[in-house]
């Protein structure tokens, strides 16, 4: 037993994590179901550090120094379950299994509970940053027991991204908390991508700009509040020219967005927790709409634009769109953090929202200057009921408001879909509203189902006897 830590699953993510660990002077056991993949890694990268390759899972386990730490980096679902089962049979009490894939947090909770009974630690661990991140410094979100973090944490922190010397890795909370937070990260990622998409669409249709021109505008935005990796990615994609046709690549790519399911999980879970994540929800539905080929075909000739675009002040419109993007982004994050907060209450996780923002400042896909400001907001007030209530963000949204309202109404008038821009504005107007039409909903529910209502002027639960002529009210 000579290795400090092991990785099974030598797909790109697994091998890159292993190489990152080796580069940081951890001795890394490596294994793959098909042994030739492990050999490939040794051939190509064997001199990057100390690797201990094994052909069998038995040898892999015996090459680990107890208490053993084995990272599983295989496909989520059945494959993960199978490897965990095999590993669990070979491990001893106190050993740690880490699932670094994108697992659904409820699966993680189930696995953690089952393995705990056998004396094993199970750590569901979010890893963000794609293939490059895994290799050079991802953002890492481990859940599981605090005890397991003592052994595992220092190794993960050493390979994570760092900001001002601080690792983008922390113990998120017990059992499934790490995978939960990674899931919300991905949901926010969907919203972040969609708001950039909406801005692009509006600039293109509103001003008739080319993708290359929009790329330049985004590059400018990327120097300010909107400075983020996803903005940088968008800049690169928009200026790419297709070699074959000479057209902008974005015009050649089929406009049907794919998804692997983490955004959908975020929305499904938010519904379970009764947290409105409208930004993430609309972003996920927008991907769904784009891929609904049959419906899009059937609707292709529907009546569209009401007014022709006629923007007099180009720069003012660009600023309007930038402000709408920024405000919608703030809303999406505010909602995403609310979902984490609600889950922490529901599942008894002690999650620091400030730390979540802190470990997302670098390494992950949503890394951005913005997350430094989110960190500050939750550092200042860990009990912040919504990010939007922080002075800095509230002022930003207040400044954005007239721009944002203009953009949303122009989008509607000109028939351009802007689902996240507009639903985020509705959320803002909803959450700040003095009175909501929910009162009428309650009345309707009471009318047809005797579901009762509360009154603004006294305690108790009431029902109106709608069917009687007097329509008197009774307390129930
Ligand atoms: C990350 C990414 C990563 C991956 C998503 C993309 O944090 O590194 O979020 O997890 O890119 O799976 O998800 P979709 O395929 O659903 O867009």
């Amino acid at each position: 037993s000579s290795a400090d830590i092991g990785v099974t699953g030598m797909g790109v993510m697994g091998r890159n994590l292993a190489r990152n660990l080796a580069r940081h002077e951890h001795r890394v056991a490596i294994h793959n179901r098909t042994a030739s993949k492990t050999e490939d890694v040794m051939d190509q990268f064997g001199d990057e550090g100390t690797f201990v390759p094994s052909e069998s899972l038995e040898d892999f386990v015996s090459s680990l120094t107890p208490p053993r730490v084995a990272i599983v980096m295989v496909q989520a679902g059945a494959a993960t379950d199978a490897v965990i089962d095999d590993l669990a049979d070979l491990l001893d009490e106190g050993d740690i299994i880490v699932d670094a894939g994108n697992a659904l947090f409820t699966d993680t909770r189930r696995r953690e509970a089952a393995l705990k009974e056998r004396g094993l630690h199970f750590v569901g661990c979010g890893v963000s940053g794609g293939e490059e991140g895994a290799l050079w410094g991802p953002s890492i979100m481990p859940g599981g027991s605090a005890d397991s973090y003592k052994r595992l944490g220092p190794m993960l922190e050493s390979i994570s991204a760092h900001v001002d010397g601080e690792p983008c890795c922390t113990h998120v909370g017990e059992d499934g908390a790490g995978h939960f937070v990674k899931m919300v990260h991905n949901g926010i990622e969907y919203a972040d991508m969609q708001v950039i998409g909406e801005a692009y669409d509006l600039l293109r249709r509103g001003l008739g700009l080319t993708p290359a021109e929009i790329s330049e505008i985004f590059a400018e935005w990327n120097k300010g509040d909107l400075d983020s990796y996803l903005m940088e990615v968008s800049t690169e994609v928009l200026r790419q020219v297709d070699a074959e046709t000479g057209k902008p690549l974005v015009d050649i790519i089929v406009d049907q967005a794919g998804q692997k399911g983490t955004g959908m999980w975020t929305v499904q879970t938010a519904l379970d927790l009764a947290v409105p994540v409208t930004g993430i929800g609309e972003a996920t539905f927008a991907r769904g709409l784009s891929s609904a080929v049959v419906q899009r075909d059937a609707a292709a000739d529907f009546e569209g634009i009401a007014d022709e675009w006629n923007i007099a002040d180009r720069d003012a419109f660009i600023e309007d769109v930038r402000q709408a993007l920024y405000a919608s982004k703030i809303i999406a994050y505010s909602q995403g953090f609310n979902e984490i907060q609600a889950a922490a209450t529901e599942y008894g996780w002690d999650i620091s929202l400030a730390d979540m923002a802190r470990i997302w400042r670098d390494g992950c896909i949503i890394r951005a200057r913005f997350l430094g400001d989110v960190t500050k907001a939750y550092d200042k007030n860990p009990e912040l009921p919504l990010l939007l209530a922080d002075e800095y963000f509230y002022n930003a949204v207040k400044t954005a408001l007239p721009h944002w309202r203009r953009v949303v109404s122009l989008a509607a008038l000109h028939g351009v879909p802007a689902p996240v821009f507009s639903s985020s504005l509705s959320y803002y107007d909803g959450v700040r509203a003095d009175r909501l039409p929910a009162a009428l909903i309650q009345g309707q529910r009471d009318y047809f189902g005797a579901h009762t209502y509360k009154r603004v002027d006294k305690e108790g639960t009431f029902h109106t006897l709608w069917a009687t002529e007097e329509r008197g009210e009774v307390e129930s």
Side-chain angles (χ1 to χ4, degrees):
S1 58
S2 55
D4 305 311
I5 188 164
V7 181
T8 175
M10 286 293 110
V12 187
M13 287 298 284
R15 75 168 62 173
N16 283 2
L17 277 182
R19 290 172 62 196
N20 191 347
L21 283 160
R23 222 178 46 246
H24 286 88
E25 300 187 352
H26 304 291
R27 292 162 301 174
V28 192
I30 57 172
H31 168 263
N32 192 72
R33 203 165 39 120
T34 317
S36 61
K37 264 200 176 170
T38 313
E39 281 165 35
D40 283 351
V41 175
M42 289 309 288
D43 288 347
Q44 292 181 59
F45 313 111
D47 56 0
E48 289 182 356
T50 310
F51 293 100
V52 186
S54 292
E55 281 198 17
S56 72
L57 202 62
E58 288 79 2
D59 290 346
F60 171 72
V61 167
S62 39
S63 72
L64 296 169
T65 310
R68 302 177 185 86
V69 182
I71 299 181
V72 179
M73 194 72 243
V74 300
Q75 256 189 355
T80 298
D81 267 322
V83 177
I84 291 170
D85 282 348
D86 292 346
L87 265 179
D89 288 338
L90 298 166
L91 294 174
D92 294 320
E93 216 174 296
D95 289 349
I96 303 167
I97 300 177
V98 183
D99 174 8
N102 273 331
L104 181 59
F105 79 101
T106 45
D107 286 340
T108 304
R109 281 170 59 80
R110 169 177 57 77
R111 290 173 181 140
E112 200 266 349
L115 291 170
K116 195 190 243 166
E117 289 201 353
R118 302 170 66 172
L120 297 172
H121 295 284
F122 182 68
V123 177
C125 180
V127 179
S128 177
E131 296 169 5
E132 287 294 298
L135 183 58
W136 298 110
S139 170
I140 312 183
M141 296 149 254
S145 64
D147 227 17
S148 65
Y149 194 79
K150 283 188 205 134
R151 166 103 172 85
L152 178 64
M155 288 192 278
L156 295 183
E157 288 180 13
S158 74
I159 66 161
S160 76
H162 283 74
V163 178
D164 303 330
E166 286 180 301
C168 293
C169 171
T170 192
H171 181 230
V172 173
E174 297 280 317
D175 60 78
H179 274 148
F180 187 94
V181 162
K182 175 64 196 334
M183 174 188 78
V184 174
H185 163 284
N186 280 28
I188 290 175
E189 175 183 311
Y190 279 41
D192 251 343
M193 294 165 76
Q194 176 67 23
V195 287
I196 295 173
E198 291 178 19
Y200 152 75
D201 203 21
L202 282 159
L203 290 176
R204 190 154 187 192
R205 300 218 232 169
L207 296 172
L209 299 178
T210 64
E213 287 168 327
I214 298 170
S215 171
E216 277 171 32
I217 293 171
F218 282 4
E220 236 4 84
W221 290 0
N222 204 25
K223 294 177 187 156
D225 294 325
L226 291 176
D227 175 353
S228 73
Y229 173 66
L230 284 169
M231 194 53 102
E232 185 189 319
V233 167
S234 310
T235 306
E236 292 298 327
V237 174
L238 288 176
R239 67 188 187 89
Q240 184 71 15
V241 174
D242 176 51
E244 219 166 288
T245 60
K247 290 183 182 162
L249 180 66
V250 73
D251 288 345
I252 301 298
I253 298 176
V254 173
D255 62 342
Q256 295 164 21
Q259 50 184 315
K260 292 206 287 285
T262 45
M264 175 190 74
W265 290 345
T266 311
V267 181
Q268 288 174 331
T269 306
L271 288 171
D272 289 339
L273 294 164
V275 180
V277 290
T278 57
I280 299 169
E282 289 294 348
T284 308
F285 286 132
R287 289 195 189 191
L289 186 150
S290 76
S291 303
V293 181
V294 175
Q295 287 73 20
R296 287 182 67 186
D297 264 353
D301 294 327
F302 287 2
E303 181 75 28
I305 301 173
D307 294 342
E308 286 301 317
W309 282 101
N310 185 17
I311 304 284
D313 189 338
R314 179 183 178 276
D315 290 344
F317 182 68
I318 293 172
E319 178 60 8
D320 282 350
V321 173
R322 190 187 74 84
Q323 291 280 359
L325 196 175
Y326 187 40
S328 303
K329 179 175 170 128
I330 293 171
I331 300 290
Y333 277 72
S334 187
Q335 296 174 337
F337 275 83
N338 277 157
E339 183 169 348
I340 298 176
Q341 221 166 18
T345 305
E346 174 75 17
Y347 297 107
W349 297 326
D350 184 18
I351 300 181
S352 154
L353 296 181
D355 283 351
M356 295 309 102
R358 209 183 318 278
I359 65 172
W360 287 347
R361 285 177 302 167
D362 204 1
C364 60
I365 303 292
I366 65 170
R367 61 185 180 262
R369 178 192 295 191
F370 181 80
L371 281 155
D373 301 319
V374 179
T375 307
K376 278 186 211 145
Y378 284 112
D379 268 338
K380 206 163 43 167
N381 181 6
E383 307 302 325
L384 209 55
L386 73 172
L387 181 61
L388 207 49
D390 172 72
E391 203 187 343
Y392 176 85
F393 288 110
Y394 175 58
N395 282 332
V397 168
K398 214 164 62 176
T399 306
L401 264 180
H403 304 274
W404 193 11
R405 293 197 191 284
R406 205 152 42 230
V407 168
V408 169
S409 42
L410 283 172
L413 285 171
H414 294 91
V416 178
V420 177
F421 281 9
S422 50
S423 64
S424 301
L425 183 55
S426 284
Y427 174 87
Y428 173 81
D429 283 326
V431 79
R432 71 172 184 82
D434 177 29
R435 289 282 294 164
L436 287 168
L440 174 57
I441 309 291
Q442 285 297 79
Q444 293 165 334
R445 293 177 68 242
D446 190 59
Y447 185 96
F448 62 67
H451 294 297
T452 74
Y453 51 85
K454 294 195 186 306
R455 295 179 56 102
V456 296
D457 53 358
K458 54 182 171 190
E459 290 289 306
T461 303
F462 301 89
H463 167 57
T464 291
L465 301 166
W466 298 99
T468 65
E469 214 175 315
E470 305 76 36
R471 295 199 162 172
E473 186 180 69
V474 292
E475 197 164 355
S476 61

